[in-house]
Amino acid sequence: MAKLIVHQEKITDNQKLIEVCPFGAMEEKEGKVTINAACKMCRLCVKKGPQGAVEYVEDEVREEINKDEWKGIAVYVDHVDGVIHPVTYELLGKARELAAVTGHPVYALFMGKNISERSRELQHYGADKIFVYDEPELDRFKIEPYTAVFEDFINRIKPSSVLVGATTVGRQLAPRVAARMRTGLTADCTVLQMNENTDLSQIRPAFGGNIMAHIKTPHHRPQMATVRYKIMNAPKRMEHKSGEIVNCTIDREKLKANVEVLDIVLKEKEKFIENSDVLVVAGRGVKKQEDLDMLHRLAELLGGQLACTRPMVEAGWMDAKYQIGLSGRTVRPKLIITCGVSGSVQFAAGMNHSENIFAINKDGKAPIFKTAHYCMVGDLYEVIPQLIKKVEEKKGA
């Protein structure tokens, strides 16, 4: 970054120079003028201070990376005991689209224990090469050996871009690998676009969803991004197999971990809202916690689940795992019914790819109506009971 350098020997009056700064970013310590974190780089001290007392130094010119040495788009295969997470297939589909722009290959990185047979499933999703690290030490996710394998893969193959699912494992692993490779990482991307010069445009909501940040990493490789589940479209499974499986090895010393897993306690299975085909969403228009029973009944009749917006969680009415939005979960059901939901950009970003969006709100100017496919202006306390009655009659028939 650019910086200001103070040349104390050229200052005749410390206090006079300090008063030049309108932000109070200059102060005197032990008889010398220093610049603190309040500095806005306005450079008034350079212009109005004594000649040469403060020097503005530009960034050093970066050494351009040889982009021709980095080719291909790699996808990290997220899994638990060999069961591949669906976000992996979504990322393989996106990688195929991006690779079509540059003509580069698509790679899959699969690491774990006893996964060689499982890796064959990836041949149905368009990867050109599937690199498999099958080692006993990789039986469960441990950050040190997994990072070592990831680093070995990148140094060996030199992919231009790396895509990782924003899962529990992906959110831990991607930053560690990015730091190891001294490159950038953009988290929770909603749009990925490839330029012909292999620069990856990584787009994501920022400042609470009020702007869309357009991020590039032109001076480093690989370019890294994480993407939430249900954001991209998964390709259809091909009947025929394609792509080559490459079995890889790594120095066993690199697989040592300083963390020992003593026991694994399986959680009771639960149904996540991300996997539900039908969702009924409770918004700020719900007046009392007891009224959620009415929405839960509708969801039950439709074979779906009850979800919510952030205010419901903050009020303590529902658990955070049922929250939709940038600070919650991203969903893509076949049908979503929003009840008393205003439709902030933060909420809409988590559900705007749903197949059918049905919105109920008594405010005809609510933002949710700009996102919804079907809009009903009305009080949810009048609409929902009638809707429940209609569905019950239909089911009875």
Side-chain angles (χ1 to χ4, degrees):
M1 294 176 63
K3 59 183 178 180
L4 296 173
I5 299 175
V6 178
H7 298 286
Q8 186 65 40
E9 69 278 4
K10 295 184 179 182
I11 303 173
T12 55
D13 188 335
N14 288 353
Q15 194 58 38
K16 191 174 180 179
L17 175 59
I18 289 172
E19 290 173 357
V20 168
C21 181
F23 303 105
M26 305 187 82
E27 55 190 358
E28 186 175 1
K29 289 184 178 180
E30 298 178 356
K32 294 183 178 181
V33 176
T34 60
I35 299 173
N36 60 37
C39 179
K40 307 297 183 187
M41 285 291 175
C42 68
R43 288 182 271 179
L44 278 176
C45 54
V46 178
K47 299 171 185 175
K48 295 189 176 182
Q51 184 69 30
V54 183
E55 180 186 5
Y56 177 78
V57 180
E58 291 278 5
D59 287 347
E60 294 181 6
V61 178
R62 295 181 183 274
E63 183 180 344
E64 286 295 325
I65 191 169
N66 184 358
K67 296 178 182 178
D68 292 335
E69 294 180 356
W70 298 81
K71 293 183 178 180
I73 300 170
V75 173
Y76 169 71
V77 180
D78 200 301
H79 72 100
V80 176
D81 294 336
V83 180
I84 299 171
H85 194 290
V87 72
T88 300
Y89 302 126
E90 294 179 358
L91 294 182
L92 283 171
K94 189 62 185 179
R96 194 79 267 166
E97 291 178 25
L98 299 174
V101 177
T102 59
H104 284 187
V106 173
Y107 304 129
L109 170 60
F110 198 8
M111 61 181 89
K113 178 185 177 183
N114 297 330
I115 57 172
S116 295
E117 191 61 34
R118 300 269 189 168
S119 66
R120 301 183 189 282
E121 178 63 21
L122 297 168
Q123 292 180 296
H124 295 279
Y125 289 89
D128 294 297
K129 287 188 178 182
I130 302 153
F131 294 86
V132 179
Y133 289 79
D134 195 337
E135 304 286 357
E137 292 87 348
L138 301 173
D139 57 340
R140 296 283 178 168
F141 172 69
K142 293 185 281 287
I143 190 67
E144 292 160 304
Y146 268 59
T147 302
V149 170
F150 218 133
E151 182 185 17
D152 180 79
F153 164 75
I154 291 174
N155 288 332
R156 181 185 302 192
I157 306 304
K158 290 187 177 294
S160 176
S161 302
V162 176
L163 307 182
V164 181
T167 61
T168 304
V169 170
R171 289 180 189 274
Q172 298 176 68
L173 184 58
R176 184 86 170 222
V177 174
R180 185 73 62 88
M181 302 308 300
R182 298 183 180 274
T183 190
L185 167 68
T186 304
D188 291 341
C189 294
T190 55
V191 178
L192 294 172
Q193 297 171 345
M194 182 61 72
N195 299 333
E196 290 183 3
N197 68 347
T198 73
D199 284 351
L200 180 66
S201 293
Q202 304 150 67
I203 302 172
R204 56 149 296 159
F207 293 103
N210 292 311
I211 67 168
M212 296 300 287
H214 196 129
I215 301 166
K216 288 186 178 181
T217 315
H219 303 294
H220 294 82
R221 289 293 185 270
Q223 305 158 101
M224 295 187 65
T226 63
V227 181
R228 287 190 185 192
Y229 178 39
K230 295 279 187 180
I231 289 291
M232 305 298 178
N233 293 316
K236 289 186 178 180
R237 185 182 186 274
M238 299 182 296
E239 288 299 322
H240 66 280
K241 292 182 178 181
S242 65
E244 174 189 358
I245 293 178
V246 181
N247 293 306
C248 305
T249 57
I250 185 174
D251 184 353
R252 305 301 282 270
E253 286 294 314
K254 293 182 179 180
L255 298 179
K256 289 184 178 179
N258 290 310
V259 176
E260 181 183 355
V261 179
L262 299 178
D263 191 17
I264 296 172
V265 180
L266 295 177
K267 287 199 313 181
E268 189 176 318
K269 286 190 176 180
E270 57 182 303
K271 190 177 180 182
F272 296 103
I273 60 172
E274 297 99 309
N275 300 324
S276 183
D277 286 337
V278 178
L279 290 174
V280 176
V281 186
R284 200 188 294 270
V286 178
K287 298 173 183 177
K288 303 192 299 291
Q289 187 174 5
E290 295 76 22
D291 297 338
L292 292 174
D293 293 339
M294 173 177 63
L295 303 185
H296 182 76
R297 174 58 180 162
L298 177 60
E300 188 178 55
L301 285 169
L302 297 174
Q305 281 187 276
L306 182 62
C308 67
T309 59
R310 186 170 179 170
M312 298 292 102
V313 174
E314 291 177 341
W317 293 2
M318 290 187 69
D319 194 277
K321 63 186 177 182
Y322 299 112
Q323 180 189 333
I324 296 172
L326 289 178
S327 55
R329 305 193 178 213
T330 303
V331 297
R332 201 171 187 172
K334 293 179 179 178
L335 170 65
I336 185 167
I337 303 174
T338 66
C339 307
V341 176
S342 63
S344 67
V345 289
Q346 293 92 336
F347 170 78
M351 51 70 76
N352 56 11
H353 292 293
S354 303
E355 287 186 28
N356 294 286
I357 302 171
F358 185 88
I360 304 168
N361 198 301
K362 63 182 179 181
D363 179 6
K365 297 181 179 179
I368 189 65
F369 290 141
K370 295 179 182 179
T371 306
H373 302 114
Y374 305 95
C375 310
M376 179 172 285
V377 179
D379 190 332
L380 70 91
Y381 286 92
E382 297 176 3
V383 175
I384 298 301
Q386 293 183 52
L387 195 53
I388 289 174
K389 184 178 178 181
K390 290 286 185 183
V391 176
E392 285 178 335
E393 288 175 355
K394 189 72 174 176
K395 279 183 168 284

